[in-house]
Amino acid sequence: MRNGTTSTYRVQLTLVAIVFTLLWLPLADNALQLDRSRPSDENRTLSPAPRVALTEQALKEFPRNFEAFYDDRFGFRNLLVRQFHTVNFGWLGIADPEKVVKGKEGWLYLGRKVLIDESRGLNPLSESEVQAWATKIDAIRQWQEGRGGTFLFVLVPDKQRVFPEFLPDWYVASETRRKEQLLDALTPLKTPVLDLTETLREAKKADGDPVWLKTDTHWSGVGAWHGYGAILERLQSAVPGLHPLERSALTRTAEPGLGAEAWRSTSDLAGLLGVRDLAPEP
């Protein structure tokens, strides 16, 4: 019995020591900088240190602000966040659909909260909002043309309009979206508009190089070149001296990125998930 009691006591003592160590490790890291993991790339600014002032408002806000500040900097946070993303995205293939929607064949799209719901027609602009946008844009046109300038309102399409084939199966696009609402309101105002959707769709079929980045919200350099050409071609009637560069005048090079931090240079959607190096893209 004595040996059994001693063994149980040792197990309990070991567990207490482990729990005690785990409780103190975050503070030890804050003090000694033990965690050498690469900082998590979250595409946001970390919460600032709380304002210290002896005013009623500052004292009332201090607990909430300090909690937000500490949540972004508690000990071993970089290691824990990194492992969380590795397991979720790297092993299980799970994304955060509110931020990023995971499509097929490694394609990522801006998430439901920002873009997907809009393109599904779930949050259209109100009539007053549409008119406010159209009036503001046309006012800029009038200001520009009144000073001898040339105005062209250019719309760059969302990624899912050019590459819908890689969206998840549950995605169903709406015919009436914010863009269509705005175009309808601009038509009677005679505002010059260039929608690059078809330009990029045609470039996707005809160009041997990718016109969009799979893990980024932005078009590639090739896609930007096609957009640039369409803009200058449209402006030639008003500014005859404009002539877009031919493709042969350009040199295709590998972007060196940012040296050791090259993983930060592209893939902003992978960055929102903290997995840029798990989903690398030239």
Side-chain angles (χ1 to χ4, degrees):
M1 289 295 292
R2 182 177 296 176
N3 288 339
T5 302
T6 301
S7 297
T8 301
Y9 176 76
R10 287 175 177 171
V11 169
Q12 293 173 340
L13 189 62
T14 301
L15 290 175
V16 169
I18 291 173
V19 171
F20 185 82
T21 301
L22 291 175
L23 288 174
W24 280 94
L25 268 177
L27 290 177
D29 179 49
N30 287 139
L32 304 174
Q33 302 297 308
L34 302 174
D35 184 6
R36 302 298 181 184
S37 304
R38 192 188 69 229
S40 177
D41 178 38
E42 300 174 56
N43 266 19
R44 69 181 181 91
T45 302
L46 299 183
S47 301
R51 184 169 62 96
V52 180
L54 296 178
T55 65
E56 181 181 355
Q57 186 65 23
L59 293 173
K60 187 184 297 184
E61 294 175 351
F62 184 85
R64 181 178 66 254
N65 293 340
F66 179 80
E67 182 179 10
F69 170 77
Y70 184 73
D71 284 349
D72 280 346
R73 294 167 179 81
F74 64 83
F76 291 98
R77 180 182 187 277
N78 292 335
L79 174 64
L80 294 172
V81 170
R82 173 68 185 160
Q83 294 309 313
F84 173 81
H85 290 313
T86 299
V87 172
N88 264 16
F89 189 86
W91 298 356
L92 303 178
I94 299 173
D96 180 354
E98 293 305 308
K99 293 181 180 179
V100 177
V101 169
K102 191 171 186 293
K104 302 169 184 176
E105 299 182 23
W107 283 73
L108 301 177
Y109 297 84
L110 201 55
R112 293 177 180 174
K113 265 202 284 193
V114 181
L115 199 57
I116 292 292
D117 282 357
E118 185 279 319
S119 59
R120 295 175 70 202
L122 300 182
N123 53 355
L125 294 169
S126 67
E127 185 61 31
S128 61
E129 288 174 324
V130 173
Q131 291 304 320
W133 274 105
T135 300
K136 180 65 174 178
I137 292 168
D138 197 59
I140 296 172
R141 173 189 68 81
Q142 294 179 45
W143 183 93
Q144 183 78 8
E145 292 178 351
R147 286 156 178 78
T150 300
F151 181 86
L152 178 64
F153 183 62
V154 181
L155 285 162
V156 180
D158 303 328
K159 183 178 185 176
Q160 56 265 35
R161 291 183 182 241
V162 183
F163 289 91
E165 63 270 30
F166 298 111
L167 284 159
D169 293 332
W170 55 260
Y171 176 90
V172 179
S174 169
E175 292 302 320
T176 302
R177 313 184 195 181
R178 292 184 171 190
K179 185 189 85 169
E180 281 70 28
Q181 289 180 283
L182 181 57
L183 289 177
D184 289 343
L186 287 172
T187 300
L189 299 177
K190 310 299 183 185
T191 302
V193 177
L194 173 61
D195 182 359
L196 293 177
T197 303
E198 288 305 318
T199 297
L200 290 167
R201 285 175 177 169
E202 290 301 316
K204 178 182 78 169
K205 298 174 186 176
D207 204 302
D209 290 320
V211 299
W212 220 284
L213 299 173
K214 295 169 64 174
T215 58
D216 200 284
T217 53
H218 301 89
W219 51 16
S220 67
V222 174
W225 179 79
H226 283 285
Y228 144 83
I231 292 170
L232 264 65
E233 182 179 339
R234 176 66 179 273
L235 290 173
Q236 279 179 340
S237 58
V239 189
L242 287 178
H243 297 288
L245 290 171
E246 297 294 331
R247 187 73 165 267
S248 58
L250 306 176
T251 303
R252 187 179 187 276
T253 61
E255 171 59 48
L258 304 174
E261 299 292 293
W263 56 274
R264 289 185 183 273
S265 60
T266 57
S267 309
D268 62 357
L269 292 173
L272 280 174
L273 298 174
V275 293
R276 268 193 169 116
D277 58 331
L278 296 181
E281 183 173 16

